[in-house]
Amino acid sequence: MRSFTYDALPSRVVFGVGSRDRLAEEVERLGRSRVFLITDSATKPVADELAEALGGRFAAVFSDVQQHVPIEAVAGVRDAARTSGADCIVTVGGGSTTGYGKAIALESDLPTIAVPTTYAGSEMTPIYGITSDGLKRTGRDVRVLPKTVLYDPELTVTLPPSVTAASGMNALAHCVEGLYGKDADPITSLMAEEGVRALIGGVAAAVRDPGDLEARGEALYGAYLAGATLAVVGMALHHRICHVLGGTYGLQHGEVNSVILPHAARFNQGAAPEALARVARAMAVDDAPLGLFDFAVSISAPTSLAELGMRESDLDEAARLSVDTPMWNPRPAGFREVRSILAEAFHGRRPVRVEGGDAVSSPR
Ligand code: NAD
């Protein structure tokens, strides 16, 4: 008999081309009247357009978001929001921008509306990450979950192919880990498998033609499903490693996800065969880890830590930091296992399948 718990989260999603035009209406729906916008330099033009449309409801804008949510930066933005008299935060941008909104929501009672422009999926989750003293810590608090998310595929056509590819791999990672996560249930698994299917087709087509609005819509739909899965299902080893590599070594989150995912998937495959079979089915390939690696290559997403500028001499420390605090994973992973995953990932080896064994790689 089936037995499961599905914890649905209270967020409202408005999806479709032009949905950004509904921002003022959605602010009103929350009973709010003064908006503090958060954005970064790439998405500032969209924020400016939204500020104009908000008219008298616009309070102020902050447009200098840095990746990985540095704690010192967030404190300043929180003060600026308070001084502006805002009663609502609207984030316009990728996961870094959404992350600032969450860090502010954590210590204020300001509700957030997210207008995501990448495939990071953070807008659907109650998970926040803040970096201090070179370490990125994550936590879970439903107060940081955006009340409303406006998904507008038109806002993603300016994403360059390299960001489309890396961010798409990040969303794929949410689906893959969501399928074998500790709290996976039949509903999240449906979302995750459909997410993989939508992302594979949408991201590949959007990398080929960034202006293909249909592909953008499909990729964003997949990213939404991926985020909604991540929100409910705890993540595992892959995400722990990625947070260490991003927070401590300053590597870009999407790119790191692209490199690590095939190796983490191979490592977990024996312990989570059904989950990986569902990934393979959604990708229409025989073997998920190989399929993920080959997909990354096909969209020119990074496949090695060396190409991201990681130093081989830092791999020991990165492995240690990844296992410093206990973490759930379908297959237990200690220093030795993580160090070996990092070695494969450093060199960008193709994670070949060896029948009856663990491992794992061949040069490309
Ligand atoms: P990002 O927000 O830093 O964006 C990546 C790059 O894309 C940036 O240079 C940005 O300026 C640019 N960009 C964004 N939108 C654009 C657009 N429409 N056109 C052109 N350029 C655009 O990175 P990301 O990959 O979106 O998110 C990564 C961050 O999100 C990490 O800090 C990660 O930890 C976090 N994250 C958190 C969760 C969560 O649930 N808490 C989930 C996923 C990711």
Side-chain angles (χ1 to χ4, degrees):
M1 287 294 285
R2 277 189 212 286
S3 148
F4 63 89
T5 303
Y6 173 57
D7 232 334
L9 287 161
S11 65
R12 171 178 163 87
V13 170
V14 180
F15 192 106
V17 170
S19 63
R20 66 185 183 281
D21 297 340
R22 290 179 49 182
L23 179 59
E25 185 188 329
E26 293 298 328
V27 170
E28 220 160 87
R29 201 172 176 279
L30 292 176
R32 302 290 160 148
S33 57
R34 282 191 64 77
V35 170
F36 186 85
L37 282 164
I38 301 179
T39 190
D40 74 5
S41 54
T43 44
K44 173 89 169 23
V46 181
D48 289 343
E49 180 197 317
L50 293 178
E52 202 175 317
L54 284 168
R57 296 185 189 86
F58 169 66
V61 61
F62 171 81
S63 58
D64 190 23
V65 161
Q66 312 295 320
Q67 67 167 343
H68 301 305
V69 194
I71 196 164
E72 318 74 39
V74 167
V77 185
R78 192 182 301 120
D79 290 346
R82 195 175 300 126
T83 313
S84 74
D87 59 9
C88 176
I89 303 282
V90 174
T91 59
V92 185
S96 302
T97 301
T98 311
Y100 272 56
K102 288 178 160 184
I104 290 171
L106 190 62
E107 290 188 22
S108 71
D109 55 2
L110 297 180
T112 311
I113 296 178
V115 185
T117 63
T118 69
Y119 308 128
S122 173
E123 63 282 351
M124 290 310 300
T125 85
I127 304 161
Y128 60 89
I130 297 176
T131 302
S132 65
D133 299 328
L135 282 182
K136 189 164 182 178
R137 293 183 183 81
T138 56
R140 195 180 171 90
D141 192 317
V142 82
R143 284 178 304 165
V144 310
L145 180 73
K147 298 275 182 283
T148 308
V149 180
L150 302 182
Y151 279 111
D152 189 336
E154 231 163 29
L155 299 183
T156 59
V157 296
T158 49
L159 275 178
S162 60
V163 183
T164 301
S167 187
M169 290 300 291
N170 184 195
L172 270 176
H174 298 150
C175 296
V176 174
E177 289 231 298
L179 278 161
Y180 59 60
K182 181 159 67 76
D183 298 323
D185 65 63
I187 316 305
T188 54
S189 295
L190 280 175
M191 292 196 292
E193 190 173 337
E194 169 74 351
V196 171
R197 191 202 56 73
L199 285 163
I200 291 294
V203 170
V207 165
R208 277 195 303 275
D209 176 5
D212 179 342
L213 204 51
E214 197 144 324
R216 289 298 187 179
E218 193 68 355
L220 198 59
Y221 165 63
Y224 154 52
L225 293 172
T229 303
L230 166 68
V232 178
V233 180
M235 293 289 114
L237 180 65
H238 166 83
H239 276 80
R240 170 64 64 78
I241 295 176
C242 289
H243 280 135
V244 167
L245 297 179
T248 303
Y249 305 99
L251 304 183
Q252 211 275 331
H253 186 71
E255 294 180 348
V256 169
N257 267 265
S258 175
V259 173
I260 299 296
L261 183 60
H263 302 285
R266 174 65 79 217
F267 179 77
N268 283 326
Q269 190 172 29
E274 260 180 52
L276 274 299
R278 289 183 80 155
V279 174
R281 183 168 72 190
M283 295 184 77
V285 297
D286 289 338
D287 177 67
L290 278 184
L292 290 164
F293 185 91
D294 294 343
F295 180 68
V297 172
S298 75
I299 58 172
S300 302
T303 50
S304 88
L305 292 177
E307 76 184 274
L308 300 186
M310 179 101 190
R311 291 182 313 195
E312 197 165 10
S313 55
D314 284 333
L315 296 185
D316 278 345
E317 181 191 49
R320 187 180 52 70
L321 290 172
S322 300
V323 298
D324 250 4
T325 41
M327 150 205 49
W328 187 88
N329 193 56
R331 177 179 166 191
F335 174 85
R336 202 174 58 89
E337 288 79 11
V338 174
R339 181 64 178 79
S340 138
I341 288 172
L342 288 174
E344 299 302 309
F346 181 81
H347 296 289
R349 296 189 182 117
R350 193 163 179 266
V352 296
R353 178 160 47 178
V354 175
E355 291 306 328
D358 262 351
V360 268
S361 66
S362 74
R364 259 169 75 188

Coordinates of all heavy atoms in Angstrom, one line a residue, residues 39-44 46 65-69 92-99 102 115-131 136 138-139 144 152-160 163-164 166-168 170-171 174 216 227 230-231 235 239 242-243 246-247 251-255 257, ligand 1:
T39 N 17.1 43.9 -7.9 CA 17.4 43.4 -9.2 C 19.0 43.4 -9.3 O 19.6 43.8 -8.4 CB 16.7 44.2 -10.3 OG1 16.9 43.5 -11.5 CG2 17.3 45.6 -10.4
D40 N 19.5 42.9 -10.4 CA 20.9 43.1 -10.7 C 21.1 43.9 -12.0 O 20.2 44.3 -12.6 CB 21.7 41.7 -10.6 CG 21.4 40.9 -11.8 OD1 20.8 41.3 -12.8 OD2 21.9 39.7 -11.9
S41 N 22.4 44.1 -12.3 CA 22.7 45.0 -13.5 C 22.0 44.4 -14.8 O 21.6 45.2 -15.6 CB 24.2 45.2 -13.6 OG 24.8 43.9 -13.7
A42 N 22.0 43.1 -14.9 CA 21.5 42.5 -16.2 C 20.0 42.7 -16.3 O 19.5 42.8 -17.4 CB 21.9 41.0 -16.3
T43 N 19.3 42.6 -15.2 CA 17.8 42.7 -15.2 C 17.3 44.0 -14.8 O 16.1 44.2 -14.7 CB 17.3 41.5 -14.3 OG1 18.0 41.5 -13.1 CG2 17.4 40.2 -15.0
K44 N 18.2 45.0 -14.6 CA 17.7 46.3 -14.2 C 16.7 46.9 -15.2 O 15.7 47.6 -14.8 CB 19.0 47.2 -14.1 CG 18.7 48.7 -13.8 CD 18.5 49.0 -12.3 CE 18.5 50.4 -11.9 NZ 18.1 51.4 -12.8
V46 N 14.4 45.6 -16.9 CA 13.1 45.0 -16.6 C 12.5 45.7 -15.4 O 11.4 46.0 -15.3 CB 13.1 43.5 -16.4 CG1 11.7 42.9 -16.2 CG2 13.8 42.8 -17.6
V65 N 22.9 43.4 -6.9 CA 22.9 42.1 -6.3 C 24.2 41.4 -6.7 O 24.7 41.4 -7.8 CB 21.7 41.3 -6.8 CG1 21.9 39.8 -6.6 CG2 20.4 41.8 -6.1
Q66 N 24.8 40.7 -5.7 CA 26.0 39.9 -5.9 C 25.6 38.4 -5.7 O 24.7 38.2 -4.9 CB 27.1 40.2 -4.9 CG 27.4 41.7 -4.7 CD 28.0 42.3 -6.0 OE1 28.8 41.7 -6.6 NE2 27.6 43.5 -6.3
Q67 N 26.3 37.5 -6.3 CA 25.9 36.1 -6.1 C 26.2 35.6 -4.7 O 27.0 36.1 -4.0 CB 26.5 35.2 -7.2 CG 28.0 35.0 -7.2 CD 28.4 33.9 -8.1 OE1 27.6 33.0 -8.5 NE2 29.7 33.8 -8.4
H68 N 25.5 34.6 -4.3 CA 25.7 33.9 -3.0 C 25.2 34.6 -1.8 O 25.6 34.3 -0.7 CB 27.1 33.3 -2.9 CG 27.5 32.4 -4.0 ND1 26.7 31.3 -4.3 CD2 28.5 32.4 -4.9 CE1 27.2 30.6 -5.4 NE2 28.3 31.3 -5.7
V69 N 24.5 35.7 -2.0 CA 23.9 36.5 -0.8 C 24.9 36.7 0.3 O 24.7 36.2 1.4 CB 22.6 35.7 -0.3 CG1 21.8 36.5 0.6 CG2 21.8 35.1 -1.5
V92 N 13.4 40.9 -9.1 CA 13.4 40.7 -10.5 C 14.7 40.2 -10.9 O 15.7 41.0 -11.0 CB 13.1 42.0 -11.3 CG1 12.9 41.8 -12.8 CG2 11.8 42.7 -10.7
G93 N 14.9 38.9 -11.2 CA 16.2 38.4 -11.5 C 16.3 36.9 -11.3 O 15.3 36.2 -11.1
G94 N 17.6 36.5 -11.3 CA 17.9 35.0 -11.1 C 17.9 34.7 -9.6 O 17.4 35.4 -8.7
G95 N 18.4 33.5 -9.3 CA 18.4 33.0 -7.9 C 19.1 33.9 -7.0 O 18.8 33.9 -5.8
S96 N 20.2 34.6 -7.4 CA 20.9 35.5 -6.5 C 20.0 36.6 -6.0 O 19.9 36.9 -4.8 CB 22.1 36.1 -7.2 OG 23.0 35.1 -7.7
T97 N 19.2 37.2 -7.0 CA 18.3 38.3 -6.6 C 17.2 37.7 -5.7 O 16.8 38.4 -4.7 CB 17.7 38.8 -7.9 OG1 18.8 39.3 -8.7 CG2 16.8 40.0 -7.7
T98 N 16.6 36.6 -6.1 CA 15.6 36.0 -5.2 C 16.1 35.8 -3.8 O 15.4 36.0 -2.8 CB 15.1 34.7 -5.8 OG1 14.8 34.8 -7.2 CG2 13.9 34.1 -5.1
G99 N 17.4 35.4 -3.8 CA 18.0 35.1 -2.5 C 18.1 36.3 -1.6 O 17.9 36.2 -0.4
K102 N 14.7 36.8 0.0 CA 14.5 35.9 1.0 C 15.2 36.3 2.3 O 14.7 36.2 3.4 CB 15.0 34.5 0.6 CG 14.1 33.8 -0.4 CD 14.6 32.5 -0.9 CE 13.5 31.7 -1.5 NZ 14.0 30.3 -1.9
V115 N 9.8 37.7 -9.5 CA 9.7 37.7 -11.0 C 11.0 37.1 -11.5 O 12.0 37.8 -11.7 CB 9.5 39.1 -11.5 CG1 9.2 39.1 -13.0 CG2 8.3 39.8 -10.8
P116 N 11.0 35.7 -11.6 CA 12.3 35.1 -11.9 C 12.7 35.2 -13.4 O 11.8 35.2 -14.2 CB 12.0 33.6 -11.6 CG 10.5 33.5 -11.5 CD 9.9 34.8 -11.3
T117 N 14.0 35.3 -13.6 CA 14.5 35.5 -15.0 C 15.5 34.4 -15.4 O 16.2 34.5 -16.4 CB 15.1 36.9 -15.2 OG1 16.2 37.0 -14.3 CG2 14.1 38.0 -14.9
T118 N 15.7 33.4 -14.5 CA 16.5 32.3 -14.9 C 15.8 31.0 -14.5 O 14.6 31.1 -14.1 CB 17.9 32.3 -14.1 OG1 17.6 32.0 -12.7 CG2 18.6 33.6 -14.2
Y119 N 16.5 29.9 -14.5 CA 15.8 28.6 -14.2 C 16.2 28.1 -12.8 O 16.0 26.9 -12.5 CB 16.2 27.6 -15.3 CG 15.9 28.1 -16.7 CD1 16.9 28.1 -17.7 CD2 14.6 28.6 -17.0 CE1 16.6 28.6 -19.0 CE2 14.4 29.2 -18.2 CZ 15.3 29.1 -19.2 OH 15.1 29.6 -20.5
A120 N 16.7 29.0 -11.9 CA 17.2 28.5 -10.6 C 16.1 27.9 -9.8 O 16.3 27.0 -9.0 CB 17.8 29.7 -9.9
G121 N 14.9 28.4 -9.8 CA 13.7 27.8 -9.1 C 13.6 28.2 -7.7 O 12.7 27.8 -7.0
S122 N 14.5 29.1 -7.2 CA 14.5 29.5 -5.8 C 13.1 30.1 -5.4 O 12.7 30.0 -4.2 CB 15.6 30.5 -5.5 OG 15.6 31.0 -4.3
E123 N 12.5 30.8 -6.3 CA 11.2 31.5 -6.0 C 10.1 30.5 -5.5 O 9.2 31.0 -4.9 CB 10.8 32.2 -7.3 CG 10.4 31.3 -8.5 CD 11.6 30.8 -9.3 OE1 12.8 31.3 -9.0 OE2 11.5 29.9 -10.1
M124 N 10.3 29.2 -5.7 CA 9.2 28.3 -5.3 C 9.5 27.7 -3.9 O 8.7 26.9 -3.4 CB 9.1 27.1 -6.3 CG 8.5 27.5 -7.6 SD 6.9 28.4 -7.5 CE 5.9 27.3 -6.6
T125 N 10.7 28.0 -3.4 CA 11.1 27.3 -2.2 C 11.2 28.1 -0.9 O 11.4 29.3 -1.0 CB 12.5 26.6 -2.4 OG1 13.5 27.6 -2.0 CG2 12.7 26.1 -3.8
P126 N 11.0 27.5 0.2 CA 11.2 28.2 1.5 C 12.7 28.0 2.0 O 12.9 28.2 3.2 CB 10.2 27.4 2.5 CG 10.2 26.0 1.9 CD 10.5 26.1 0.4
I127 N 13.6 27.8 1.1 CA 15.0 27.6 1.4 C 15.7 28.8 1.2 O 15.6 29.5 0.1 CB 15.6 26.4 0.6 CG1 14.7 25.1 0.8 CG2 17.0 26.2 1.0 CD1 15.0 24.1 -0.3
Y128 N 16.5 29.3 2.1 CA 17.4 30.4 1.9 C 18.8 30.1 2.1 O 19.2 29.1 2.7 CB 17.0 31.6 2.9 CG 17.1 31.2 4.3 CD1 18.4 31.4 5.0 CD2 16.1 30.7 5.0 CE1 18.5 31.0 6.3 CE2 16.2 30.3 6.4 CZ 17.4 30.5 7.0 OH 17.6 30.1 8.3
G129 N 19.7 30.8 1.5 CA 21.2 30.6 1.6 C 21.8 32.0 1.9 O 21.5 32.9 1.2
I130 N 22.7 32.0 2.9 CA 23.4 33.3 3.2 C 24.8 32.9 3.4 O 25.2 32.0 4.0 CB 22.8 33.9 4.4 CG1 21.3 34.3 4.2 CG2 23.6 35.2 4.8 CD1 20.6 34.9 5.4
T131 N 25.7 33.8 2.8 CA 27.2 33.5 2.9 C 27.8 34.5 3.9 O 27.7 35.7 3.8 CB 27.9 33.6 1.5 OG1 27.2 32.7 0.6 CG2 29.3 33.3 1.6
K136 N 28.7 29.2 2.9 CA 27.3 29.4 2.6 C 26.4 28.5 3.4 O 26.6 27.3 3.4 CB 27.1 29.2 1.1 CG 25.7 29.6 0.7 CD 25.6 29.7 -0.8 CE 24.3 30.1 -1.3 NZ 24.3 30.3 -2.8
T138 N 22.6 27.2 4.5 CA 21.2 27.2 4.0 C 20.3 26.9 5.2 O 20.7 26.3 6.2 CB 21.0 26.2 2.9 OG1 21.3 24.9 3.4 CG2 21.8 26.5 1.7
G139 N 19.1 27.4 5.1 CA 18.1 27.1 6.1 C 16.7 27.0 5.5 O 16.6 27.3 4.3
V144 N 10.2 32.9 4.2 CA 11.0 33.4 3.0 C 10.4 33.0 1.7 O 10.8 33.5 0.6 CB 12.5 33.0 3.0 CG1 13.1 33.3 4.4 CG2 12.6 31.5 2.7
D152 N 7.3 34.9 -16.4 CA 7.0 35.4 -17.8 C 8.2 35.0 -18.7 O 9.3 35.6 -18.6 CB 7.0 37.0 -17.7 CG 6.5 37.6 -19.0 OD1 6.7 37.0 -20.0 OD2 6.0 38.7 -18.9
P153 N 7.9 34.1 -19.6 CA 9.0 33.6 -20.5 C 9.7 34.6 -21.3 O 10.9 34.5 -21.6 CB 8.3 32.6 -21.4 CG 7.0 32.2 -20.7 CD 6.6 33.4 -19.8
E154 N 9.0 35.7 -21.5 CA 9.6 36.8 -22.3 C 10.8 37.4 -21.6 O 11.7 37.9 -22.3 CB 8.5 37.9 -22.6 CG 8.4 38.3 -24.0 CD 7.1 39.1 -24.2 OE1 6.6 39.8 -23.3 OE2 6.6 39.0 -25.3
L155 N 10.8 37.3 -20.3 CA 11.9 37.9 -19.6 C 13.2 37.1 -19.6 O 14.2 37.5 -19.2 CB 11.5 38.1 -18.1 CG 10.3 39.1 -17.8 CD1 10.1 39.2 -16.3 CD2 10.6 40.4 -18.5
T156 N 13.1 35.9 -20.2 CA 14.2 35.0 -20.2 C 14.9 35.0 -21.6 O 16.0 34.4 -21.8 CB 13.9 33.6 -19.9 OG1 12.9 33.1 -20.8 CG2 13.3 33.5 -18.4
V157 N 14.4 35.7 -22.6 CA 15.0 35.6 -23.9 C 16.3 36.3 -24.0 O 17.1 36.1 -24.9 CB 14.0 36.2 -25.1 CG1 12.8 35.4 -25.2 CG2 13.7 37.6 -24.8
T158 N 16.6 37.2 -23.0 CA 17.9 37.9 -23.0 C 19.0 37.0 -22.3 O 20.2 37.4 -22.3 CB 17.8 39.2 -22.2 OG1 17.1 39.0 -21.0 CG2 17.0 40.2 -23.0
L159 N 18.6 35.9 -21.7 CA 19.6 35.0 -21.1 C 20.6 34.5 -22.2 O 20.2 33.8 -23.1 CB 19.0 33.8 -20.5 CG 18.4 33.9 -19.1 CD1 17.7 32.6 -18.7 CD2 19.5 34.2 -18.1
P160 N 21.9 34.7 -22.0 CA 22.8 34.2 -23.0 C 22.8 32.7 -23.0 O 22.5 32.1 -21.9 CB 24.2 34.7 -22.5 CG 23.9 35.6 -21.4 CD 22.5 35.4 -20.9
V163 N 24.4 31.0 -19.9 CA 23.6 31.0 -18.6 C 22.4 30.1 -18.8 O 22.0 29.4 -17.8 CB 23.2 32.5 -18.3 CG1 22.5 32.5 -16.9 CG2 24.4 33.4 -18.2
T164 N 21.8 30.2 -19.9 CA 20.6 29.3 -20.2 C 21.0 27.8 -19.9 O 20.3 27.1 -19.2 CB 20.2 29.4 -21.7 OG1 19.8 30.7 -21.9 CG2 19.0 28.5 -21.9
A166 N 23.7 26.6 -18.1 CA 24.1 26.3 -16.7 C 22.9 26.3 -15.8 O 22.7 25.4 -15.0 CB 25.1 27.3 -16.3
S167 N 22.0 27.3 -16.0 CA 20.9 27.4 -15.1 C 19.9 26.3 -15.4 O 19.3 25.7 -14.5 CB 20.2 28.8 -15.4 OG 19.2 29.0 -14.6
G168 N 19.8 25.8 -16.7 CA 19.0 24.7 -17.0 C 19.5 23.4 -16.3 O 18.7 22.6 -15.8
N170 N 21.1 23.4 -13.5 CA 20.7 23.6 -12.1 C 19.3 23.1 -11.8 O 19.0 22.3 -10.9 CB 20.8 25.1 -11.7 CG 20.6 25.4 -10.3 OD1 20.4 26.6 -9.9 ND2 20.6 24.4 -9.4
A171 N 18.4 23.4 -12.8 CA 17.0 23.0 -12.6 C 16.9 21.5 -12.8 O 16.2 20.8 -12.0 CB 16.1 23.7 -13.7
H174 N 17.6 19.8 -9.6 CA 16.5 19.8 -8.6 C 15.6 18.6 -8.9 O 15.1 17.9 -8.0 CB 15.7 21.1 -8.7 CG 16.5 22.3 -8.4 ND1 16.3 23.5 -8.9 CD2 17.6 22.4 -7.5 CE1 17.2 24.4 -8.4 NE2 18.0 23.7 -7.6
R216 N 11.5 28.9 -24.6 CA 11.7 29.6 -23.3 C 10.5 29.3 -22.3 O 10.7 29.1 -21.1 CB 11.7 31.1 -23.5 CG 13.0 31.6 -24.2 CD 14.2 31.3 -23.4 NE 15.4 31.9 -23.9 CZ 16.6 31.8 -23.4 NH1 16.8 31.1 -22.2 NH2 17.7 32.4 -23.9
G227 N 11.7 23.7 -9.2 CA 11.7 24.5 -8.0 C 10.6 24.0 -7.0 O 10.8 23.9 -5.8
L230 N 11.9 20.8 -5.5 CA 13.0 21.2 -4.5 C 12.4 21.7 -3.2 O 12.9 21.4 -2.1 CB 13.9 22.2 -5.1 CG 14.9 23.0 -4.2 CD1 16.0 22.0 -3.7 CD2 15.6 24.1 -5.0
A231 N 11.3 22.4 -3.3 CA 10.6 23.1 -2.2 C 10.2 22.1 -1.1 O 10.2 22.3 0.1 CB 9.5 23.9 -2.6
M235 N 17.0 18.1 -0.5 CA 18.1 17.7 -1.4 C 19.2 16.9 -0.7 O 19.1 16.6 0.5 CB 18.7 19.0 -2.0 CG 17.8 19.8 -2.8 SD 17.4 19.0 -4.4 CE 15.6 18.7 -4.2
H239 N 23.6 18.7 -4.0 CA 23.5 20.1 -3.6 C 24.5 20.5 -2.5 O 24.9 21.7 -2.5 CB 22.0 20.4 -3.2 CG 21.2 20.6 -4.4 ND1 20.7 19.6 -5.2 CD2 20.8 21.8 -4.9 CE1 20.0 20.2 -6.2 NE2 20.0 21.5 -6.1
C242 N 27.6 21.3 -4.2 CA 27.5 22.6 -5.0 C 27.6 23.8 -4.1 O 28.2 24.8 -4.5 CB 26.3 22.6 -5.9 SG 26.3 21.4 -7.2
H243 N 27.0 23.7 -2.9 CA 27.0 24.9 -2.1 C 28.4 25.1 -1.5 O 28.8 26.3 -1.4 CB 26.0 24.7 -0.9 CG 24.6 25.0 -1.4 ND1 23.5 24.3 -1.1 CD2 24.1 26.0 -2.1 CE1 22.4 24.8 -1.6 NE2 22.8 25.9 -2.3
G246 N 30.4 26.7 -4.5 CA 29.9 28.0 -4.7 C 30.3 29.0 -3.6 O 31.0 30.0 -3.8
G247 N 29.9 28.6 -2.4 CA 30.1 29.5 -1.2 C 31.5 29.7 -0.9 O 32.0 30.8 -0.6
L251 N 32.6 29.8 -7.1 CA 32.2 29.3 -8.4 C 30.7 29.6 -8.7 O 29.9 29.7 -7.7 CB 32.5 27.8 -8.6 CG 33.9 27.4 -8.3 CD1 34.1 25.9 -8.6 CD2 34.9 28.2 -9.2
Q252 N 30.3 29.7 -9.9 CA 29.0 30.1 -10.3 C 28.1 28.9 -10.1 O 28.4 27.7 -10.5 CB 28.9 30.6 -11.8 CG 27.9 31.6 -12.0 CD 26.5 31.0 -12.3 OE1 26.5 29.8 -12.8 NE2 25.5 31.7 -12.0
H253 N 26.9 29.1 -9.4 CA 26.1 28.0 -8.9 C 25.6 27.1 -10.1 O 25.7 25.8 -10.0 CB 24.9 28.6 -8.2 CG 24.0 27.6 -7.6 ND1 24.4 26.8 -6.4 CD2 22.8 27.1 -7.9 CE1 23.4 26.0 -6.1 NE2 22.4 26.2 -6.9
G254 N 25.1 27.7 -11.1 CA 24.6 26.8 -12.3 C 25.7 26.0 -12.9 O 25.5 24.8 -13.2
E255 N 26.9 26.6 -13.1 CA 28.0 25.9 -13.7 C 28.5 24.7 -12.9 O 28.8 23.7 -13.4 CB 29.1 26.9 -13.9 CG 28.8 28.0 -15.0 CD 29.9 29.0 -15.2 OE1 30.9 29.0 -14.5 OE2 29.7 29.8 -16.2
N257 N 26.7 23.1 -10.7 CA 25.6 22.1 -10.9 C 25.8 21.2 -12.1 O 25.7 20.0 -12.1 CB 24.2 22.7 -10.9 CG 23.6 22.9 -9.6 OD1 22.8 22.0 -9.2 ND2 24.0 23.9 -8.9
Ligands
NAD1 P1 22.2 34.5 -10.8 O1 21.0 35.1 -10.2 O2 23.5 35.0 -10.2 O3 22.1 34.8 -12.4 C1 23.2 34.3 -13.2 C2 23.6 35.3 -14.2 O4 22.5 35.6 -15.1 C3 23.9 36.7 -13.6 O5 25.0 37.2 -14.2 C4 22.7 37.5 -13.9 O6 23.0 38.9 -14.0 C5 22.3 37.0 -15.3 N1 20.9 37.1 -15.6 C6 19.8 36.8 -14.9 N2 18.7 36.9 -15.6 C7 19.0 37.4 -16.8 C8 18.3 37.7 -18.0 N3 17.0 37.5 -18.0 N4 19.0 38.1 -19.0 C9 20.3 38.2 -19.0 N5 21.1 37.9 -17.9 C10 20.4 37.5 -16.8 O7 22.2 32.9 -10.7 P2 21.1 31.8 -10.8 O8 21.8 30.7 -11.4 O9 19.9 32.3 -11.3 O10 20.9 31.5 -9.3 C11 21.9 31.0 -8.5 C12 21.7 31.4 -7.0 O11 20.4 30.9 -6.6 C13 22.7 30.7 -6.1 O12 23.1 31.5 -5.0 C14 21.9 29.5 -5.5 O13 22.4 29.0 -4.3 C15 20.6 30.1 -5.4 N6 19.5 29.1 -5.5 C16 18.7 29.0 -4.4 C17 17.7 28.1 -4.4 C18 16.8 28.0 -3.2 O14 15.8 27.3 -3.2 N7 17.1 28.7 -2.1 C19 17.4 27.3 -5.5 C20 18.2 27.4 -6.6 C21 19.3 28.3 -6.6

